[in-house]
Amino acid sequence: MTAAAAPAELDHGTSGAGGAAGHGGDHGPSTGISHVKLAMWVFLGSECLLFGGLISTYLLYKTRANGRTLPTDVFDIPFTSVSSFVLLMSSLTMVLALSGVSRGDDTAGRAWLLATALLGAVFVGGQVYEFTSFVREGVAFTTNPASAAFFTLTGFHGVHVSLGIVMLMSLFVSSVKGKLTRNNSETVEIVGLYWHFVDIVWIFIFTVIYLIPAD
Amino acid sequence: MTVTADAPLELEAPPQPRYAERPLGVLTRPQGGRGWRDWLSTVDHKRIGIMYGTAAMFFFLVGGVEALLLRLQLAAPDGSVLGADVYNQVYTMHGVTMVFLFIMPLAAAFANYFIPLQIGARDVAFPRLNALSFWIWLSGAIFLNTAWIVGGGGADCGWFCYTPNSGVAFSPSHGVDFYAIGLQILGLASLISAINLIVTCLNMRAPGMTLMRMPVLTWMLLITQFLLLFALPVITVALFLLMFARLFGAPFFDPAAGADPLLWQHLFWIFGHPEVYIIILPAFGVVSEVIPTFSRKPLFGYEFMIFSGIAIGFMGWGVWAHHMFVSGIGPISVAAFSLSTMFIAVPTGVKILNWLATMWGGRLRFTVAMKFAVATVAMFTIGGLSGVTHSVAPADTQQTDTYYIVAHFHYVIFGGGVIGLFAGLYFWWPKVWGYMLDERLGNWNFWLMLIGFNLTFGPMHILGLQGMSRRIDTYAAGYGFELWNMVATVGAFLIALSMLVFMVNVWKSRRTAASRPAPGPDPWDARSLEWSIPSPVPEHNFDEVPVVRGRDEWWHRKYGIDDDGQVVRVATVEEAAQRGDAVGVHLPSPSFWPLAMAVGLPLIGYGLIFNLWLAVIGALIVIASLYSWAFEPVDDPDADHGHGHDEGHDGGGESGDGPGPDDAVGEVETAETDEPAAVGASEGQS
Ligand code: HEM
Ligand SMILES: [Cu+2]
């Protein structure tokens, strides 16, 4: 076995090539993607399953009224469409923020970071308003399986947006302090990845929950 | 940053821990050293691995005592050791402890310790996150077990905790709340660790270490991390729903409110079946390292081994409903899942054949590690075969919820998983601790465990087929259950005895280590890179990052092929191995923040159960630690690395500043030497 497998592998040749490659510090990440960015991608993969589980739960339960009002009965589609549009636009401002920071244009970078956070905050504010008005109309968390699943799914998403806002504001603060420069603009890119992901998830949720009619 | 060969070895003259003043931090930055406090702040993947392993063995004892209680209760008809209620708690906590607090962290110990070594790295990608994973895991483990004291008893819903049985109505103590929250904490730990290790495997490979040259242990651990990555969020959803159902009255699982109790079963088993591969694949990896070493042959069909591992990883997602054949999921689903379950046996069978083919014609050495490895293959095959019998849905309808199932899964997780990891313990013990475990006591350990194991779980097949239900606290005389239950109990005590022998072995081997020859870097004539560095492994792992030219790199540094095609030794271990005496290797600085953050999480848990103010305090601790962490540079500017190199490079570590909670060690520097770093087959670095 060894004999059969070995010769090709054993042909180590001269050690010439090793000289340069041998300095471990010189070789960057094996994939060419930085550790943190790769970690964010991997994490988002996991998040897909989290939202997948929550969306499935909602789909299973969306018509289980337990004799009371369903979330679908109290949806205000125009309102939610507007707040969805706001969130969608925040992806645009996120892109502009990244472009600002990586150009070294700190003013633009900061302005767009702030704008992104603000649009996110408008979305979360809209969600809070939506939740309270639903409760007033008789759809609370424990009303029926449908409402519990609805609030859990959209609530989880809202928490994700809020965490994104915290990250954006931290970026903003470190930019003001002069710690965020074009050299580490990758941090903005990584937060951007997260932000776009949360956006895309919302497009799914909006379509699945609000737009596809309950049968 | 120069290597001076005659400078004092770094590890033999460790700098005394000094705690530099950090005016802004609550906690002063630890400086590294060897006292117990340094374990609390360590970010060294090896120490973290050791802590995982030690804690896991402790919980093995806890779960083992619980198992013995179960077996005492069932030893004879009408047992009266435990009442019915306590029995429910004990088997639930036994299952949960063994799965989440023993075998998973033991696998995590191997992953932490050996992935970096096998791919030629100095640490994992995110050392502080790695520490965080461990501390969160430990805090979750402790939290879960405090249910016994403050929760009114352990969880009593079985390890899969089916709803609505686990609702407040049927399980009124707080045990299930501790289960729901505790497993979320443990899941968070595993998720962070999975991300970290995936990035490590993908990004931190030494030059030349292509994916298809990675040792099989690393490969199987990598697949395990992907399974964790995708399985954990699913159970997190389930646990979250359960927690809200119990604590806040959400009707997720209340059939009276129109909810579907099967939702839980689906979510649980979509996690649960990948979980069984999470348990078994690390052991497969261990066996795939041990068998080639002691057969003196390369692993037969490396590619098949990897691809069958990946295939298992994928197919593992399509079989979950075989746990639900009797729950009324309908004939089409039953047929589909029955078939997919039969198919998943194929890649598993491939692995078994590969191990056998590796041994075939090899020069076998039956060390204790090898015996454990071979036993793993044998016992797992038995468990796999009874598994195939469950895949036949009509047969399973008879078997489900009987002791036949208990027999089956103990053959796979104990016979495959635990015995496999014991092979790993004996194999890598000298690498980690610098002394060998005694082979004679090891033999006692092995045979007692193997015989005890088969006596315990073999008869359970018969009991199950005779109709004895699992999870019953007692049985009446006259059903023909007496004999085999007694045998199983005797077997369980033999397993306990074998563990005692193991502990004596550790204690004795450690005590006599000084009087026995040191194992040196490579006591087994092994094949992968961790054997090319001293035992125990120096803090910086590799003096020079190795350059990899092929699979089984280390073996090829020792052996070549002569003109007649014969294997010949071209370098002794001493010639080929690194000496571990590099100084000035730049390592990430320790930190207290991971530990501090982990303390906050159980407080949130207690708060949710008892008093929300406690949760607020916990959350504040978490947030404060998170921010202190984010603004603590990876490299401590105050740190004197203790070996007098220039400090000019410290700026490089600041890139982690900002909102990201961790930062990479991508910039870890290697020691510069004048020698060519690569080592051909014929040239050692003496
Ligand atoms: C020390 C040897 C062990 C003994 C004697 C033992 C014994 C038992 C017994 C008797 C039961 C069935 C309880 C019942 O259904 O009434 C059980 C359940 C279980 N055991 Fe073990 N066990 C041992 C080791 C392990 C290990 C190493 C693992 C996993 C790594 C494990 C995982 C489980 C699980 C998951 C259950 C199911 C609990 C439930 O029904 O919810 N056991 N064990
Ligand atoms: Cu399964």
Side-chain angles (χ1 to χ4, degrees), chain B residues 152-220:
Chain B
D156 53 2
C157 49
W159 88 283
F160 43 64
C161 215
Y162 278 177
T163 57
N165 189 35
S166 53
V168 183
F170 304 106
S171 194
S173 83
H174 280 301
V176 180
D177 299 323
F178 277 82
Y179 169 98
I181 297 170
L183 292 198
Q184 285 182 66
I185 298 177
L186 296 170
L188 180 65
S190 303
L191 178 67
I192 297 172
S193 156
I195 295 173
N196 200 346
L197 293 172
I198 288 173
V199 175
T200 304
C201 275
L202 294 183
N203 250 1
M204 302 201 42
R205 283 167 284 132
M209 178 60 82
T210 59
L211 287 177
M212 288 313 277
R213 287 176 183 170
M214 287 200 314
V216 182
L217 175 69
T218 294
W219 253 112
M220 293 305 128

Side-chain angles (χ1 to χ4, degrees), chain B residues 287 291 359 366 369-379:
Chain B
V287 168
I291 287 183
M359 284 187 275
F366 278 100
M370 179 66 161
K371 284 179 184 148
F372 272 111
V374 173
T376 305
V377 179
M379 296 302 109

